[in-house]
Amino acid sequence: MNILIKEEVNQRLAKLQQIIIQSEADACIISTPVNQFYLLNFIFDGYIFVRSEGKPLLFVKRPNGVEGENVIYIRKPEQIPDFLRQRNISLPKKLMLENDVLSFSTVTRLQTALKMPELMNISSEMRRIRSVKSEYELNQMRECAKIHAKVYEQIPHIYRKEMTDIEFQIELERTMRLAGSEGVFRAFGENMDIFMGSVLAGDNAQSASPFDFALGGQGSSPLLPIGANGTKLTEGTTVMVDMAGNYRPWMSDITRAFAIGVVPEVAYKAHQVSIDICNTIVATTKAGTPCADIYFLAEEMVRKNNLADYFMGTEQQAKFVGHGVGLEINEPPVLAPRSKDILQIGMAIAVEPKFVLPGIGGVGIENTYIVMDNGLEKITICAEELLVL
Amino acid sequence: MNILIKEEVNQRLAKLQQIIIQSEADACIISTPVNQFYLLNFIFDGYIFVRSEGKPLLFVKRPNGVEGENVIYIRKPEQIPDFLRQRNISLPKKLMLENDVLSFSTVTRLQTALKMPELMNISSEMRRIRSVKSEYELNQMRECAKIHAKVYEQIPHIYRKEMTDIEFQIELERTMRLAGSEGVFRAFGENMDIFMGSVLAGDNAQSASPFDFALGGQGSSPLLPIGANGTKLTEGTTVMVDMAGNYRPWMSDITRAFAIGVVPEVAYKAHQVSIDICNTIVATTKAGTPCADIYFLAEEMVRKNNLADYFMGTEQQAKFVGHGVGLEINEPPVLAPRSKDILQIGMAIAVEPKFVLPGIGGVGIENTYIVMDNGLEKITICAEELLVL
């Protein structure tokens, strides 16, 4: 591990240890991939055992080959107490676990193995820590966004007449993968199933989905009812592309919309309102801005343009206009009316004021911005207008 | 919903209701996608409330548009008790939940919302019910396996000299998607991250991974350390392809290995042992066979051929030779030495005796079989020999 990353993980660990101290907990166990990666720069099957100070212990089930004086190989969590005793570490009485992500069975097994400590939930705090990025992390996002934008620039060349949305998405997936996309992109929560992102053509953009993304789509399988559904890309409609920016562990989020041939004027108008909203947000937002205000600003511009019925969907309208981005695609803060969050320096947010126009399709853009002392830095630089395919 | 599927879901519901009766529980709530799909043939964000008899109630958060007299729209689980009261249904005192999959936070919130019923875990029982397939489900698997096999037949045409494993996998992914793969394939458990399957070239097949698949691979990102890692497909090595068969909700599992040019004789020998193991299993296995016996049979043949050091990995060796397949890629039973499961008519199992040869790569095959009264039906029909690319 190079010195820069070593310094990074030390700082992240220190933030977690601050939380442990403030919560008056005795220890925290981290075992989900995203948080393990955040704390160590690698992941394993097992448990990172963190106390308020000192280096964490790693209880590793697999893979073989993890080395270090703090590494202890175990087969099952029930072995942890013995190893703690050998190191003169008492069993935690108050233990923080990732309760929002670990299964009920996993948590209760761990709790039992550790002789029933009182449980506290570290999930939200870890997400809050991760929401404020270091310069290293922001640079990862800038690099990711550059590749992401380059892939989007290839979209007009990928399009062929008579394609379905799925065929179009498949060629885009290939382009993404060749540009280094990991494929899997990580989201937080139990209703976030999706495959590599969303391509919505024509009226499929109206279809409501069970999942918690900005827009839905019918999908092509009853097991994955979201996204492209086989709609042919048809003259007079739009296609909205919101595919994952997972070219680095820290991600970017971009949406662009395209017109198939000639589309009605209202599509251009609504698309321009989306661009205007983004520009107005950039002009008025900086560290210290309440996230709810960003939503209200967008909502106000939508209303003035008589587009409220089409904002963030039609049949089902998402009640947010953006969200944090990082190791997961949906990090805090949420740009929503009920949010109590205040933007902080180093946060990264995706802003996505979108419209769904019946008979036409989705329009609007999404950019990713870094929150600075004096404004927002746009990191997703590629053509924003409604390009004609 | 057509009559056949209506009949199917009624029979599945009846099996769950049997479990509720046997467990002396008052109700069961199903809210994970795979089990929702199994019970209803569609999924939604919300809760299927099942009692020992009668039609389930659907408490739906989203999407809009789910219709029926048993559908109740809610915003949050805390509203469930009031709606139960309106229908003269008393709150369950003993409640079954999917504790192996739902997060600790979700389960405790539901438990609190329902006034603290005693909890029982339905996860394993649902998996056990699903492990025995109906003729309809088996036909889905047969259809899936046919497409899966056709995709694998294209592998020699996809290969180009000087490709890396990742480039090779990307073209294969595209072929899979064009053949109807859903992309996402579902696995059970907390250590089952992967993207569309596994391509392992040369010595990358030896790399241990944190995840619970048969083989590992280094992967190309520290956030997803599994599978292809950029290894060039090199003369004298092998490449093993174990990509998802998700062309239907009920899946198939196939592995095939390929030689890049001329490979050492031992690769052919070990590959043939894998084929022989599969054939011997087919000749000796039927409903009633203990799953552990299948493992021991394979292990015995491995030992007789002096291949134990290479069986199911080298640095890290998986201690199973196969597993059930269905809506998830890893269903019961597991073909492992400690398994107490007995094969039943209608189970579907993947058998994957694999070898990893240092300096060469992975060899061996994986087929999916349906368990019948008098033997096994192979549903994954495509060339099994070590084909030269």
Side-chain angles (χ1 to χ4, degrees), chain A residues 323-340:
Chain A
H323 53 84
V325 193
L327 290 176
E328 291 174 316
I329 198 63
N330 54 341
E331 298 206 339
V334 185
L335 310 182
R338 289 166 163 215
S339 170
K340 295 193 169 62

Side-chain angles (χ1 to χ4, degrees), chain B residues 9 12 54 121 137 229 307 310 320 377 381:
Chain B
V9 298
R12 296 175 197 157
N121 186 0
E137 293 162 4
N229 70 339
L307 288 167
Y310 315 112
F320 65 92
E377 175 194 342
I381 317 279

Side-chain angles (χ1 to χ4, degrees), chain B residues 285-288 344-346 370-376:
Chain B
T285 299
K286 57 185 181 182
Q344 294 175 55
I345 295 174
I370 290 168
V371 179
M372 301 183 302
D373 185 26
N374 55 351
L376 295 181

Side-chain angles (χ1 to χ4, degrees), chain A residues 191-193 209-213 223-226, chain B residues 33 43 62 186:
Chain A
N191 288 291
M192 296 294 287
D193 286 358
S209 136
F211 303 111
D212 284 341
F213 295 95
L223 247 180
L224 195 64
I226 189 158
Chain B
I43 72 182
R62 48 189 290 185
R186 294 174 187 270

Side-chain angles (χ1 to χ4, degrees), chain A residues 56-114:
Chain A
L57 295 179
L58 311 192
F59 292 100
V60 181
K61 287 191 272 187
R62 47 189 291 184
N64 298 340
V66 183
E67 283 172 7
E69 56 174 30
N70 296 305
V71 174
I72 299 160
Y73 270 88
I74 60 171
R75 279 171 297 104
K76 49 185 188 178
E78 288 73 17
Q79 296 173 274
I80 294 175
D82 276 350
F83 283 109
L84 290 179
R85 203 170 303 127
Q86 283 171 24
R87 298 203 174 209
N88 290 315
I89 299 171
S90 42
L91 282 175
K93 293 200 181 76
K94 275 192 183 180
L95 176 65
M96 309 189 88
L97 293 177
E98 297 157 293
N99 290 348
D100 288 356
V101 178
L102 295 178
S103 76
F104 182 83
S105 299
T106 296
V107 167
T108 50
R109 180 173 177 181
L110 255 175
Q111 189 183 24
T112 307
L114 294 168

